Amino acid sequence: SRAAQAFTQTMPDGSRIGYFIGDGTGVGKGRQIAGTILHLWNSGVKQIVWVSYNETLLNDAKRDLEGLGMKLPVRWLGDIKLKHDIKTKMPEGIVFTSYSTLASMAADDKQRTDVGFVPFRRVRQILDWAGPDTAIVFDEAHRCLAASYEKLADAYPHARVLGLTAPPYRQDGQGLGSRYDHMLVVCQPPELIADGFISKPVTYGIP
């Protein structure tokens, strides 16, 4: 896939190139995520972070993974207590979390990590679990400029990062250029119809 090809390339500063998908609602971005995870898992990436809108999407994520024949361990980050090391609960697998969960536990200490001070305890918990070559999926990526996201993304310059969202802009109308430089249109509905992936719409009008 194009995402897999992007992940093999690096920027001049040494950071890995990520990939952004801007397909519209209903195209099946969950399956696109699952397909990318399948490739990454088979390539040896065994610690994957999946960030989405909220916990209710966890079952949808599991369904999309199972739809491709994948029986991978998936844990909701909120079910793992802060005092517990994720590695003891799930050495390998997928940590599913939300943007609000990442930012829900502010740190009031001055403890520093390898990437400096991280003011979110949930982000620290992920840093302690995932290695430098992890993969991070940001579903609903128009929320990606939150402070907790920035800290997580900055901590993993070599991670394989996949961003997906239907609206390629934030709720305040600003674009995503600080994180995603280019958006590629992979295909249009006429192409999908011609290749047999979707049906040609039939319209009816009142005479």
Side-chain angles (χ1 to χ4, degrees), residues 72-91:
L72 303 182
V74 182
R75 292 290 300 270
W76 168 247
L77 181 61
D79 287 340
I80 303 175
K81 294 182 179 180
L82 273 172
K83 63 182 180 180
H84 291 158
D85 187 343
I86 299 176
K87 292 179 182 178
T88 63
K89 301 291 183 179
M90 187 179 65

Side-chain angles (χ1 to χ4, degrees), residues 56-108:
T56 62
L57 298 174
L58 175 60
N59 289 333
D60 292 342
K62 291 180 177 179
R63 178 204 63 206
D64 289 323
L65 291 166
E66 292 172 359
L68 296 182
M70 303 174 68
K71 295 288 185 180
L72 303 182
V74 182
R75 292 290 300 270
W76 168 247
L77 181 61
D79 287 340
I80 303 175
K81 294 182 179 180
L82 273 172
K83 63 182 180 180
H84 291 158
D85 187 343
I86 299 176
K87 292 179 182 178
T88 63
K89 301 291 183 179
M90 187 179 65
E92 298 179 346
I94 301 169
V95 168
F96 191 91
T97 185
S98 68
Y99 293 95
S100 58
T101 299
L102 286 179
S104 62
M105 297 291 182
D108 54 6

Side-chain angles (χ1 to χ4, degrees), residues 7-134:
F7 296 153
T8 64
Q9 304 173 53
T10 57
M11 299 290 286
D13 63 359
S15 60
R16 190 187 301 272
I17 291 179
Y19 197 77
F20 177 77
I21 296 176
D23 286 336
T25 302
V27 171
K29 289 189 287 296
R31 285 300 176 97
Q32 293 172 331
I33 294 173
T36 303
I37 289 177
L38 173 61
H39 167 79
L40 292 171
W41 190 269
N42 291 337
S43 300
V45 182
K46 303 297 185 181
Q47 295 169 325
I48 299 169
V49 182
W50 185 335
V51 187
S52 193
Y53 179 55
N54 58 34
E55 183 183 2
T56 62
L57 298 174
L58 175 60
N59 289 333
D60 292 342
K62 291 180 177 179
R63 178 204 63 206
D64 289 323
L65 291 166
E66 292 172 359
L68 296 182
M70 303 174 68
K71 295 288 185 180
L72 303 182
V74 182
R75 292 290 300 270
W76 168 247
L77 181 61
D79 287 340
I80 303 175
K81 294 182 179 180
L82 273 172
K83 63 182 180 180
H84 291 158
D85 187 343
I86 299 176
K87 292 179 182 178
T88 63
K89 301 291 183 179
M90 187 179 65
E92 298 179 346
I94 301 169
V95 168
F96 191 91
T97 185
S98 68
Y99 293 95
S100 58
T101 299
L102 286 179
S104 62
M105 297 291 182
D108 54 6
D109 56 33
K110 297 300 180 182
Q111 178 181 343
R112 299 186 65 83
T113 68
D114 292 340
V115 293
F117 174 64
V118 177
F120 304 99
R121 294 183 180 180
R122 285 299 189 185
V123 175
R124 290 185 191 177
Q125 196 175 22
I126 291 175
L127 294 179
D128 290 338
W129 173 67
D133 292 323
T134 188

